[in-house]
Amino acid sequence: MNTEKNRDTAYCHNEYDPLKKVITVSPRYMQINEVINQTQAYYVNDNINQTKAVEQHSNLIHHMESIGIEVIKLNELEHLNEQVFTRDIGFTIGNTFFVSAMKEDIRKKEQNILLDWLQRNKVAYFPFETASIEGGDVIIDHSKVWVGISDRTSKEAVAVLQSQLPNHEVSPIKLRKDILHLDCIFNIIDAQTALIYPPAMDSDAYLMLKEEYTLIEVTEEEQFHLGPNVLSLGNKHVISLPENKRMNQKLTEMGFRITEVPFSEIIKSGGSFRCCTLPLIRTS
């Protein structure tokens, strides 16, 4: 792969540099048909108000576009009701775009839409042909890559990822069984700071992260409302849920600019702002 050429199409070295280009999909057909995580099990009787979900998602896109972020909108298909969570189907590390290997059959066909877009736009990519790995479990910070070992991401795939990144240190983090992805309980929001819910990860991993970052611990209620799953736009500007008032106030006191965006319908399916955005380019 020509890394200098690919820098124009895929370039991310962390979770917090200014976001320039991102892939999204509308939640137009979003609904809980087949329960595939515990959050969905909690909301399955309510299900999702699709009109409200589209409105909330459109507000997120408006906020991104208003500060100059290029938002790619892939086609939504009626039979793919989890498409809104684009973060899971791929991830960018350095100059390399990785196409995930999805665990659930209901989500595997989402990758065809992504692959078509990548090929048409001449974005080089590495496809995983292993046991599953999903982008929600992959969090990057320059030479360090943290990967959740969950029901969705396997140790075998993590080993393959390390082999593709000889200049990175890929560190697995074992998650509690009920946790969907690493980004539901851990997220790096600037070079020194991360959000975390310690009870849901291996204690040794927590101590390792504590050596690297100033950790802002979220409460059980904030984790249920996907507090760590914020989206960093760059320059300490973070999109967060209005429900997480205590956490947002703490971040404000630490110098972060918080934009609260309602996302109540979309979180019913188990993901929030980070889950709904797949960065292609971040630049300092």
Side-chain angles (χ1 to χ4, degrees), residues 61-94:
I61 288 176
H62 171 74
H63 279 288
M64 291 192 289
E65 291 181 332
S66 71
I67 61 171
I69 297 169
E70 181 182 352
V71 180
I72 307 301
K73 302 166 187 174
L74 299 184
N75 293 332
E76 67 274 16
L77 298 179
E78 189 169 2
H79 65 289
L80 300 178
N81 55 289
E82 295 285 315
Q83 265 186 296
V84 70
F85 299 129
T86 52
R87 178 77 65 153
D88 297 335
I89 60 176
F91 49 94
T92 308
I93 300 179

Side-chain angles (χ1 to χ4, degrees), residues 42 54 73 80 87 95 99 131 139 159 185 233 241 251 263-264:
Y42 182 86
V54 169
K73 302 166 187 174
L80 300 178
R87 178 77 65 153
N95 301 105
V99 177
I139 295 179
I185 63 166
L233 301 178
L241 288 167
L251 291 174
F263 228 48
S264 56

Side-chain angles (χ1 to χ4, degrees), residues 3 24 27 32 57 104 116 124 133 152 157 163 168 179 189 200 213:
T3 55
T24 67
I32 304 171
H57 191 263
E104 300 290 339
D116 178 66
I133 182 170
R152 303 297 184 86
S163 72
H168 291 71
I179 299 300
I189 54 177
Y213 303 102

Side-chain angles (χ1 to χ4, degrees), residues 80-132:
L80 300 178
N81 55 289
E82 295 285 315
Q83 265 186 296
V84 70
F85 299 129
T86 52
R87 178 77 65 153
D88 297 335
I89 60 176
F91 49 94
T92 308
I93 300 179
N95 301 105
T96 303
F97 187 89
F98 293 89
V99 177
S100 303
M102 305 300 289
K103 170 73 180 296
E104 300 290 339
D105 289 341
I106 194 174
R107 302 206 60 193
K108 289 179 180 178
K109 292 181 181 178
E110 295 175 29
Q111 294 172 298
N112 296 332
I113 310 299
L114 173 64
L115 288 169
D116 178 66
W117 186 89
L118 293 171
Q119 291 161 5
R120 283 189 290 106
N121 288 275
K122 297 180 171 56
V123 178
Y125 60 89
F126 174 85
F128 276 90
E129 297 175 353
T130 63
S132 62

Side-chain angles (χ1 to χ4, degrees), residues 205-244:
Y206 169 75
L207 293 174
M208 177 175 60
L209 294 171
K210 193 173 182 179
E211 292 181 358
E212 298 285 340
Y213 303 102
T214 297
L215 297 177
I216 302 172
E217 297 190 9
V218 305
T219 65
E220 183 177 1
E221 182 179 2
E222 288 165 343
Q223 194 281 320
F224 179 76
H225 287 110
L226 293 166
N229 202 259
V230 298
L231 176 64
S232 295
L233 301 178
N235 300 314
K236 297 178 81 88
H237 184 185
V238 173
I239 291 182
S240 183
L241 288 167
E243 287 85 352
N244 294 318

Side-chain angles (χ1 to χ4, degrees), residues 88 107 134 136-137 150 152 175 179-185:
D88 297 335
R107 302 206 60 193
E134 299 188 359
D137 276 321
S150 67
R152 303 297 184 86
L175 306 184
I179 299 300
L180 180 61
H181 289 127
L182 179 59
D183 65 6
C184 295
I185 63 166

